[in-house]
Amino acid sequence: TFYRVWQQNFKATPMQFVLTLRLNLAKELLRSSNQKIFEIAEHCGFFNSMDFCRSFKKHFALTPGEYRAQNRAQSHLPGEPL
């Protein structure tokens, strides 16, 4: 079956794999866009922003807002607008 073949090739379940892809896309959007968090949640396929925030914090130990603030501060160059 698909699941057996998957297990032989990947450590994560298919659902965990998809969740990781969605969360990694969200990280990129948080870093590089001005979209609101609920818009990013929707864009990445989450049912609502609360589920997104819960999953993001569980996976990365930061809320999406905390992640955005930390990563924008690190990538900001003097003289550039935030």
Side-chain angles (χ1 to χ4, degrees):
T1 67
F2 169 79
Y3 191 75
R4 269 192 232 138
V5 172
W6 182 274
Q7 282 184 313
Q8 292 169 356
N9 294 292
F10 300 98
K11 292 180 183 178
T13 67
M15 193 66 168
Q16 290 167 330
F17 183 80
V18 170
L19 177 61
T20 299
L21 290 175
R22 289 177 174 172
L23 291 171
N24 286 332
L25 173 59
K27 277 175 63 173
E28 180 58 33
L29 292 172
L30 287 165
R31 257 194 317 268
S32 64
S33 81
N34 290 321
Q35 287 181 287
K36 296 180 186 315
I37 290 173
F38 78 88
E39 293 171 329
I40 291 173
E42 186 177 288
H43 181 87
C44 294
F46 287 88
F47 183 69
N48 61 49
S49 59
M50 189 175 2
D51 288 340
F52 166 63
C53 291
R54 189 179 308 122
S55 294
F56 194 95
K57 184 162 184 164
K58 184 177 180 181
H59 202 80
F60 300 116
L62 293 169
T63 67
E66 291 167 341
Y67 178 84
R68 175 177 265 171
Q70 285 183 8
N71 286 278
R72 285 221 172 140
Q74 291 174 358
S75 65
H76 176 68
L77 298 174
E80 287 185 346
L82 286 175

Coordinates of all heavy atoms in Angstrom, one line a residue:
T1 N 0.8 -1.2 0.0 CA 0.0 0.0 0.0 C 0.9 1.3 0.0 O 2.1 1.2 0.3 CB -0.9 0.0 1.2 OG1 -0.1 0.2 2.4 CG2 -1.8 -1.2 1.3
F2 N 0.2 2.4 -0.3 CA 0.9 3.6 -0.3 C 1.6 3.9 1.0 O 2.8 4.3 1.1 CB 0.0 4.8 -0.6 CG 0.5 6.2 -0.4 CD1 1.4 6.7 -1.3 CD2 0.3 6.9 0.7 CE1 1.9 8.0 -1.1 CE2 0.8 8.1 1.0 CZ 1.6 8.7 0.0
Y3 N 0.9 3.7 2.1 CA 1.4 4.0 3.5 C 2.7 3.2 3.8 O 3.7 3.7 4.3 CB 0.4 3.8 4.5 CG 0.8 4.3 5.9 CD1 0.7 5.7 6.1 CD2 1.2 3.5 6.9 CE1 1.1 6.3 7.3 CE2 1.5 4.1 8.1 CZ 1.5 5.4 8.3 OH 1.9 6.0 9.5
R4 N 2.7 1.9 3.4 CA 3.9 1.0 3.7 C 5.1 1.5 2.9 O 6.2 1.6 3.4 CB 3.6 -0.4 3.3 CG 3.1 -1.2 4.5 CD 3.1 -2.7 4.2 NE 1.7 -3.1 4.6 CZ 1.0 -3.9 3.9 NH1 1.5 -4.5 2.8 NH2 -0.2 -4.2 4.3
V5 N 4.8 1.8 1.6 CA 5.9 2.4 0.8 C 6.4 3.7 1.4 O 7.7 3.9 1.4 CB 5.5 2.5 -0.7 CG1 6.5 3.3 -1.5 CG2 5.1 1.2 -1.3
W6 N 5.5 4.5 1.8 CA 5.9 5.8 2.4 C 6.8 5.6 3.6 O 7.8 6.2 3.8 CB 4.7 6.6 2.8 CG 5.0 7.9 3.3 CD1 5.2 8.2 4.6 CD2 5.1 9.2 2.6 NE1 5.5 9.6 4.8 CE2 5.4 10.2 3.6 CE3 4.9 9.5 1.3 CZ2 5.6 11.5 3.2 CZ3 5.1 10.8 1.0 CH2 5.5 11.8 1.9
Q7 N 6.4 4.7 4.5 CA 7.1 4.4 5.7 C 8.5 3.9 5.5 O 9.4 4.1 6.2 CB 6.4 3.4 6.6 CG 5.2 4.0 7.3 CD 4.6 2.9 8.3 OE1 4.3 1.8 7.8 NE2 4.3 3.3 9.5
Q8 N 8.7 3.2 4.4 CA 10.0 2.7 4.0 C 11.0 3.8 3.6 O 12.2 3.6 3.7 CB 9.9 1.6 2.9 CG 9.2 0.3 3.4 CD 8.9 -0.6 2.2 OE1 9.1 -0.2 1.0 NE2 8.4 -1.7 2.5
N9 N 10.4 4.9 3.1 CA 11.2 6.0 2.6 C 11.3 7.2 3.4 O 12.2 8.0 3.2 CB 10.7 6.3 1.2 CG 10.9 5.2 0.2 OD1 12.1 4.9 -0.1 ND2 9.9 4.6 -0.2
F10 N 10.4 7.4 4.3 CA 10.3 8.6 5.1 C 10.1 8.3 6.6 O 9.4 7.3 6.9 CB 9.2 9.6 4.7 CG 9.3 10.0 3.2 CD1 8.6 9.4 2.2 CD2 10.1 11.1 2.9 CE1 8.8 9.8 0.9 CE2 10.3 11.5 1.6 CZ 9.6 10.8 0.6
K11 N 10.6 9.2 7.5 CA 10.4 9.0 8.9 C 9.0 9.5 9.3 O 8.4 9.0 10.2 CB 11.5 9.7 9.7 CG 12.9 9.0 9.5 CD 13.9 9.8 10.3 CE 15.3 9.1 10.1 NZ 16.3 9.8 10.8
A12 N 8.6 10.6 8.7 CA 7.3 11.2 9.1 C 6.2 10.6 8.4 O 6.4 10.0 7.3 CB 7.4 12.7 8.7
T13 N 5.0 10.7 8.9 CA 3.8 10.2 8.2 C 3.5 11.2 7.1 O 4.0 12.3 7.1 CB 2.6 10.2 9.2 OG1 2.3 11.6 9.5 CG2 2.8 9.4 10.4
P14 N 2.7 10.8 6.1 CA 2.3 11.8 5.1 C 1.7 13.1 5.6 O 2.1 14.1 5.1 CB 1.3 11.0 4.2 CG 1.6 9.6 4.5 CD 2.1 9.5 5.9
M15 N 0.9 13.0 6.6 CA 0.3 14.2 7.2 C 1.3 15.1 7.8 O 1.3 16.3 7.7 CB -0.8 13.8 8.2 CG -1.6 14.9 8.6 SD -2.6 15.4 7.2 CE -3.8 16.4 8.0
Q16 N 2.3 14.5 8.6 CA 3.4 15.3 9.2 C 4.2 15.9 8.1 O 4.7 17.1 8.3 CB 4.2 14.4 10.1 CG 3.5 13.9 11.3 CD 4.3 12.8 12.0 OE1 5.0 12.0 11.4 NE2 4.2 12.7 13.3
F17 N 4.5 15.2 7.0 CA 5.3 15.7 5.9 C 4.6 17.0 5.3 O 5.2 18.0 5.1 CB 5.5 14.6 4.9 CG 6.3 15.1 3.7 CD1 7.7 15.1 3.8 CD2 5.7 15.4 2.5 CE1 8.5 15.4 2.8 CE2 6.5 15.8 1.4 CZ 7.9 15.8 1.6
V18 N 3.3 16.9 5.1 CA 2.5 18.0 4.5 C 2.5 19.2 5.5 O 2.7 20.3 5.1 CB 1.1 17.5 4.1 CG1 0.2 18.7 3.8 CG2 1.1 16.6 3.0
L19 N 2.3 18.9 6.7 CA 2.3 19.9 7.7 C 3.7 20.7 7.8 O 3.7 21.9 7.8 CB 2.0 19.4 9.1 CG 2.1 20.4 10.3 CD1 1.0 21.5 10.1 CD2 1.8 19.6 11.6
T20 N 4.8 19.9 7.7 CA 6.1 20.5 7.7 C 6.3 21.4 6.4 O 6.8 22.5 6.5 CB 7.2 19.4 7.7 OG1 7.0 18.7 8.9 CG2 8.6 20.0 7.7
L21 N 5.8 21.0 5.3 CA 5.9 21.8 4.1 C 5.1 23.1 4.2 O 5.5 24.2 3.9 CB 5.3 21.0 2.9 CG 6.1 19.9 2.3 CD1 5.4 19.2 1.2 CD2 7.5 20.3 1.9
R22 N 3.9 23.0 4.8 CA 3.0 24.2 5.0 C 3.7 25.1 6.0 O 3.7 26.4 5.8 CB 1.7 23.8 5.5 CG 0.8 23.1 4.5 CD -0.5 22.7 5.1 NE -1.4 22.1 4.1 CZ -2.5 21.5 4.4 NH1 -2.9 21.4 5.7 NH2 -3.3 21.1 3.4
L23 N 4.3 24.6 7.1 CA 4.9 25.5 8.0 C 6.2 26.1 7.5 O 6.4 27.3 7.8 CB 5.2 24.7 9.3 CG 3.9 24.3 10.1 CD1 4.3 23.3 11.2 CD2 3.2 25.5 10.7
N24 N 6.9 25.4 6.7 CA 8.1 26.0 6.1 C 7.7 27.1 5.1 O 8.4 28.1 5.0 CB 9.0 24.9 5.4 CG 9.7 24.1 6.5 OD1 10.0 24.6 7.6 ND2 10.0 22.9 6.1
L25 N 6.7 26.9 4.4 CA 6.2 28.0 3.5 C 5.7 29.2 4.3 O 6.0 30.3 4.0 CB 5.0 27.5 2.6 CG 4.3 28.5 1.8 CD1 5.2 29.2 0.8 CD2 3.1 27.9 1.1
A26 N 5.1 28.9 5.4 CA 4.6 30.0 6.3 C 5.8 30.8 6.9 O 5.8 32.0 6.9 CB 3.8 29.5 7.5
K27 N 6.9 30.1 7.2 CA 8.1 30.8 7.7 C 8.6 31.7 6.7 O 9.0 32.9 7.0 CB 9.2 29.8 8.1 CG 9.1 29.1 9.4 CD 10.1 28.0 9.7 CE 11.5 28.5 9.6 NZ 12.5 27.5 10.0
E28 N 8.7 31.3 5.4 CA 9.2 32.1 4.3 C 8.3 33.3 4.1 O 8.8 34.5 4.0 CB 9.3 31.3 3.0 CG 9.8 32.1 1.9 CD 11.2 32.7 2.1 OE1 12.0 32.1 2.8 OE2 11.4 33.8 1.6
L29 N 7.0 33.1 4.2 CA 6.1 34.3 4.0 C 6.2 35.2 5.2 O 6.1 36.4 5.0 CB 4.6 33.7 3.8 CG 4.4 33.0 2.5 CD1 3.0 32.4 2.6 CD2 4.5 33.9 1.3
L30 N 6.3 34.7 6.4 CA 6.5 35.6 7.6 C 7.7 36.5 7.5 O 7.7 37.6 7.8 CB 6.5 34.8 8.9 CG 5.2 34.1 9.3 CD1 5.4 33.1 10.3 CD2 4.2 35.2 9.8
R31 N 8.8 35.9 6.9 CA 10.0 36.6 6.8 C 10.0 37.7 5.6 O 10.5 38.7 5.7 CB 11.2 35.6 6.4 CG 12.1 35.3 7.5 CD 13.4 34.6 7.0 NE 13.2 33.6 6.0 CZ 13.0 32.3 6.2 NH1 13.0 31.9 7.5 NH2 12.9 31.5 5.3
S32 N 9.3 37.3 4.5 CA 9.5 38.1 3.3 C 8.3 38.9 2.9 O 8.3 39.6 1.9 CB 9.9 37.1 2.2 OG 8.8 36.2 1.9
S33 N 7.1 38.7 3.5 CA 5.9 39.4 3.1 C 5.3 40.3 4.2 O 5.7 40.1 5.4 CB 4.9 38.4 2.6 OG 4.2 37.9 3.7
N34 N 4.4 41.1 3.8 CA 3.7 41.9 4.8 C 2.3 41.4 5.0 O 1.5 42.1 5.6 CB 3.6 43.4 4.3 CG 5.0 44.0 4.4 OD1 5.8 43.8 5.3 ND2 5.3 44.8 3.4
Q35 N 2.0 40.2 4.5 CA 0.7 39.6 4.7 C 0.4 39.5 6.2 O 1.3 39.2 7.0 CB 0.6 38.2 4.1 CG 0.6 38.2 2.6 CD 0.5 36.8 2.1 OE1 1.4 36.1 2.2 NE2 -0.7 36.4 1.6
K36 N -0.8 39.6 6.6 CA -1.3 39.4 7.9 C -1.2 37.9 8.2 O -1.2 37.0 7.3 CB -2.7 39.9 8.1 CG -2.8 41.4 8.0 CD -4.3 41.8 8.2 CE -4.6 43.2 7.9 NZ -3.7 44.2 8.3
I37 N -1.1 37.5 9.5 CA -0.9 36.1 9.9 C -2.1 35.3 9.4 O -1.9 34.2 8.9 CB -0.6 36.0 11.4 CG1 0.8 36.6 11.7 CG2 -0.8 34.6 11.9 CD1 1.1 36.7 13.2
F38 N -3.3 35.8 9.6 CA -4.4 35.0 9.1 C -4.4 34.8 7.6 O -4.9 33.7 7.1 CB -5.8 35.6 9.6 CG -6.3 36.8 8.8 CD1 -7.0 36.6 7.6 CD2 -6.0 38.1 9.1 CE1 -7.5 37.7 6.9 CE2 -6.4 39.2 8.4 CZ -7.2 38.9 7.3
E39 N -3.9 35.7 6.9 CA -3.7 35.5 5.4 C -2.7 34.5 5.1 O -2.9 33.7 4.2 CB -3.4 36.9 4.7 CG -4.4 37.9 4.8 CD -4.0 39.3 4.3 OE1 -2.8 39.6 4.5 OE2 -4.8 40.0 3.8
I40 N -1.6 34.5 5.8 CA -0.6 33.4 5.6 C -1.1 32.1 6.0 O -0.9 31.1 5.3 CB 0.7 33.8 6.4 CG1 1.4 35.0 5.9 CG2 1.6 32.6 6.5 CD1 2.5 35.5 6.7
A41 N -1.9 32.0 7.1 CA -2.5 30.7 7.5 C -3.4 30.2 6.4 O -3.3 29.0 6.0 CB -3.3 30.9 8.8
E42 N -4.2 31.0 5.8 CA -5.1 30.6 4.7 C -4.3 30.2 3.5 O -4.6 29.2 2.9 CB -6.0 31.8 4.4 CG -7.1 31.4 3.4 CD -8.0 32.6 3.2 OE1 -8.8 32.9 4.1 OE2 -7.9 33.2 2.1
H43 N -3.3 31.0 3.1 CA -2.5 30.7 2.0 C -1.8 29.4 2.1 O -1.6 28.7 1.1 CB -1.4 31.8 1.8 CG -0.6 31.7 0.6 ND1 -0.9 32.1 -0.6 CD2 0.6 31.0 0.5 CE1 0.1 31.8 -1.5 NE2 1.0 31.2 -0.8
C44 N -1.4 29.0 3.3 CA -0.7 27.7 3.5 C -1.6 26.5 3.8 O -1.1 25.4 4.1 CB 0.3 27.9 4.7 SG 1.6 29.1 4.4
G45 N -2.9 26.8 3.7 CA -3.9 25.6 3.8 C -4.4 25.3 5.1 O -4.9 24.2 5.3
F46 N -4.2 26.2 6.1 CA -4.8 26.0 7.4 C -6.3 26.4 7.5 O -6.6 27.4 6.8 CB -4.0 26.7 8.5 CG -2.6 26.1 8.7 CD1 -1.5 26.4 8.0 CD2 -2.5 25.1 9.7 CE1 -0.3 25.9 8.2 CE2 -1.3 24.5 9.9 CZ -0.2 24.9 9.1
F47 N -7.1 25.7 8.2 CA -8.5 26.0 8.3 C -8.8 27.3 8.9 O -9.6 28.1 8.5 CB -9.2 24.9 9.1 CG -10.7 25.0 9.2 CD1 -11.5 24.9 8.1 CD2 -11.3 25.3 10.4 CE1 -12.8 25.0 8.1 CE2 -12.6 25.5 10.5 CZ -13.4 25.3 9.3
N48 N -8.0 27.7 10.0 CA -8.1 29.0 10.6 C -6.8 29.4 11.2 O -5.9 28.6 11.4 CB -9.2 29.0 11.6 CG -9.0 28.0 12.7 OD1 -8.0 28.0 13.4 ND2 -10.1 27.2 13.0
S49 N -6.7 30.6 11.6 CA -5.4 31.1 12.1 C -5.1 30.5 13.5 O -3.9 30.4 13.8 CB -5.4 32.7 12.2 OG -6.4 33.1 13.0
M50 N -6.1 30.2 14.3 CA -5.8 29.6 15.6 C -5.1 28.2 15.4 O -4.1 27.9 16.1 CB -7.1 29.4 16.4 CG -6.7 29.0 17.8 SD -8.1 28.8 19.1 CE -9.5 29.2 18.2
D51 N -5.6 27.4 14.5 CA -4.9 26.1 14.2 C -3.5 26.3 13.7 O -2.5 25.6 14.1 CB -5.7 25.3 13.2 CG -7.0 24.7 13.7 OD1 -7.1 24.6 15.0 OD2 -7.8 24.3 12.9
F52 N -3.3 27.3 12.8 CA -2.0 27.6 12.3 C -1.1 28.1 13.4 O 0.1 27.5 13.5 CB -2.2 28.8 11.3 CG -0.8 29.4 10.9 CD1 0.1 28.7 10.3 CD2 -0.6 30.7 11.2 CE1 1.4 29.2 9.9 CE2 0.6 31.3 10.8 CZ 1.6 30.6 10.2
C53 N -1.5 29.0 14.3 CA -0.6 29.5 15.4 C -0.3 28.3 16.3 O 0.9 28.3 16.7 CB -1.3 30.6 16.1 SG -1.5 32.1 15.1
R54 N -1.2 27.5 16.6 CA -0.9 26.4 17.5 C 0.1 25.4 16.9 O 1.1 25.0 17.6 CB -2.2 25.6 17.8 CG -2.1 24.6 18.9 CD -3.4 23.8 19.2 NE -4.5 24.8 19.4 CZ -5.6 24.8 18.7 NH1 -5.9 24.0 17.8 NH2 -6.6 25.7 19.0
S55 N -0.1 25.1 15.6 CA 0.9 24.2 15.0 C 2.2 24.8 14.8 O 3.3 24.2 15.0 CB 0.4 23.8 13.6 OG -0.8 23.1 13.6
F56 N 2.3 26.1 14.5 CA 3.5 26.8 14.3 C 4.3 26.8 15.6 O 5.5 26.5 15.6 CB 3.3 28.2 13.8 CG 4.5 28.9 13.3 CD1 4.8 28.9 11.9 CD2 5.4 29.6 14.1 CE1 5.9 29.6 11.4 CE2 6.5 30.2 13.7 CZ 6.8 30.2 12.3
K57 N 3.6 27.2 16.7 CA 4.3 27.2 18.0 C 4.8 25.8 18.4 O 5.9 25.7 19.0 CB 3.4 27.8 19.1 CG 4.2 28.0 20.4 CD 3.5 28.9 21.3 CE 4.4 29.1 22.6 NZ 4.1 30.2 23.3
K58 N 4.0 24.8 18.2 CA 4.4 23.5 18.6 C 5.6 23.0 17.8 O 6.5 22.4 18.3 CB 3.2 22.5 18.3 CG 3.5 21.1 18.8 CD 2.3 20.2 18.6 CE 2.5 18.8 19.0 NZ 1.4 17.9 18.8
H59 N 5.7 23.4 16.5 CA 6.8 23.0 15.6 C 8.1 23.8 15.9 O 9.1 23.2 15.8 CB 6.3 23.1 14.2 CG 7.0 22.2 13.2 ND1 6.7 20.9 13.1 CD2 8.0 22.5 12.4 CE1 7.5 20.4 12.1 NE2 8.3 21.4 11.7
F60 N 7.9 25.1 16.1 CA 9.1 26.0 16.1 C 9.3 26.6 17.5 O 10.3 27.4 17.6 CB 9.0 27.1 15.1 CG 8.9 26.5 13.7 CD1 7.8 26.7 12.9 CD2 10.0 25.8 13.1 CE1 7.7 26.3 11.6 CE2 9.9 25.3 11.8 CZ 8.7 25.6 11.0
A61 N 8.5 26.4 18.5 CA 8.6 27.0 19.8 C 8.5 28.5 19.8 O 9.0 29.1 20.7 CB 9.9 26.5 20.5
L62 N 7.9 29.1 18.8 CA 7.7 30.5 18.7 C 6.3 30.7 18.1 O 5.9 29.9 17.2 CB 8.7 31.2 17.8 CG 10.1 31.3 18.3 CD1 11.0 31.8 17.1 CD2 10.3 32.2 19.5
T63 N 5.6 31.8 18.4 CA 4.4 32.1 17.7 C 4.8 32.7 16.4 O 5.9 33.1 16.2 CB 3.5 33.1 18.5 OG1 4.3 34.4 18.5 CG2 3.2 32.7 19.9
P64 N 3.9 32.7 15.4 CA 4.2 33.3 14.1 C 4.7 34.8 14.3 O 5.6 35.2 13.6 CB 2.9 33.2 13.3 CG 2.2 32.0 13.9 CD 2.6 32.0 15.3
G65 N 4.0 35.5 15.1 CA 4.4 36.9 15.4 C 5.8 37.0 16.0 O 6.5 37.9 15.6
E66 N 6.1 36.2 16.9 CA 7.5 36.2 17.5 C 8.5 35.9 16.4 O 9.6 36.5 16.4 CB 7.6 35.2 18.7 CG 6.8 35.6 19.9 CD 6.6 34.5 20.9 OE1 6.8 33.3 20.5 OE2 6.3 34.8 22.0
Y67 N 8.2 34.9 15.6 CA 9.1 34.5 14.6 C 9.4 35.6 13.6 O 10.5 35.9 13.2 CB 8.6 33.2 13.8 CG 9.5 32.8 12.7 CD1 10.6 32.0 12.9 CD2 9.3 33.2 11.4 CE1 11.5 31.7 11.9 CE2 10.1 32.9 10.4 CZ 11.2 32.1 10.6 OH 12.1 31.8 9.6
R68 N 8.3 36.2 13.2 CA 8.4 37.4 12.2 C 9.2 38.5 12.8 O 10.1 39.0 12.2 CB 7.0 37.9 11.9 CG 7.0 39.1 11.0 CD 5.6 39.5 10.6 NE 5.3 39.0 9.3 CZ 4.1 39.0 8.7 NH1 3.1 39.6 9.3 NH2 4.0 38.5 7.5
A69 N 9.0 38.8 14.1 CA 9.7 39.9 14.7 C 11.2 39.6 14.8 O 12.0 40.5 14.5 CB 9.1 40.2 16.1
Q70 N 11.5 38.4 15.2 CA 12.9 38.0 15.3 C 13.6 38.0 14.0 O 14.8 38.5 13.8 CB 13.1 36.7 16.0 CG 12.8 36.7 17.4 CD 13.0 35.3 18.1 OE1 13.5 34.4 17.4 NE2 12.7 35.2 19.3
N71 N 13.0 37.5 13.0 CA 13.6 37.3 11.7 C 13.7 38.6 10.8 O 14.5 38.7 10.0 CB 13.0 36.1 10.9 CG 13.5 34.8 11.5 OD1 14.5 34.3 11.2 ND2 12.7 34.3 12.4
R72 N 12.7 39.4 11.0 CA 12.8 40.7 10.3 C 13.9 41.6 11.0 O 14.6 42.3 10.3 CB 11.4 41.4 10.4 CG 10.4 40.8 9.5 CD 9.6 41.9 8.9 NE 8.8 41.3 7.8 CZ 7.6 41.7 7.6 NH1 7.0 42.6 8.3 NH2 6.9 41.1 6.6
A73 N 14.0 41.5 12.3 CA 15.0 42.3 13.0 C 16.4 41.8 12.5 O 17.3 42.7 12.3 CB 14.9 42.2 14.5
Q74 N 16.6 40.5 12.4 CA 17.9 40.0 11.9 C 18.3 40.4 10.5 O 19.4 40.6 10.2 CB 18.0 38.5 12.1 CG 18.0 38.1 13.6 CD 17.9 36.5 13.7 OE1 17.8 35.8 12.7 NE2 17.9 36.1 14.9
S75 N 17.3 40.4 9.6 CA 17.5 40.6 8.2 C 17.5 42.1 7.9 O 17.7 42.5 6.7 CB 16.5 39.8 7.4 OG 15.2 40.3 7.6
H76 N 17.1 43.0 8.8 CA 17.0 44.4 8.5 C 18.4 45.1 8.4 O 19.2 44.9 9.3 CB 16.2 45.1 9.6 CG 16.1 46.6 9.4 ND1 15.4 47.1 8.4 CD2 16.6 47.6 10.1 CE1 15.5 48.5 8.5 NE2 16.2 48.7 9.5
L77 N 18.6 45.8 7.3 CA 19.8 46.5 7.1 C 19.6 47.9 7.5 O 18.6 48.5 7.2 CB 20.3 46.4 5.7 CG 20.6 45.0 5.2 CD1 20.9 45.0 3.7 CD2 21.8 44.4 5.9
P78 N 20.6 48.6 8.1 CA 20.5 50.0 8.4 C 20.1 50.8 7.2 O 20.6 50.6 6.1 CB 21.9 50.4 8.9 CG 22.5 49.1 9.3 CD 21.9 48.0 8.4
G79 N 19.2 51.7 7.4 CA 18.8 52.6 6.3 C 17.6 52.0 5.5 O 17.0 52.7 4.7
E80 N 17.2 50.8 5.7 CA 16.1 50.2 5.0 C 14.9 50.3 5.9 O 15.0 50.1 7.1 CB 16.3 48.7 4.7 CG 17.3 48.4 3.6 CD 17.4 47.0 3.3 OE1 16.9 46.1 4.0 OE2 18.0 46.6 2.2
P81 N 13.7 50.5 5.3 CA 12.5 50.5 6.1 C 12.1 49.1 6.6 O 12.5 48.2 5.9 CB 11.4 51.1 5.1 CG 12.0 50.8 3.8 CD 13.5 50.8 3.9
L82 N 11.5 49.0 7.7 CA 11.1 47.7 8.2 C 9.9 47.2 7.5 O 9.1 47.7 7.0 CB 10.8 47.8 9.7 CG 12.0 47.9 10.6 CD1 11.5 48.1 12.1 CD2 12.9 46.7 10.6

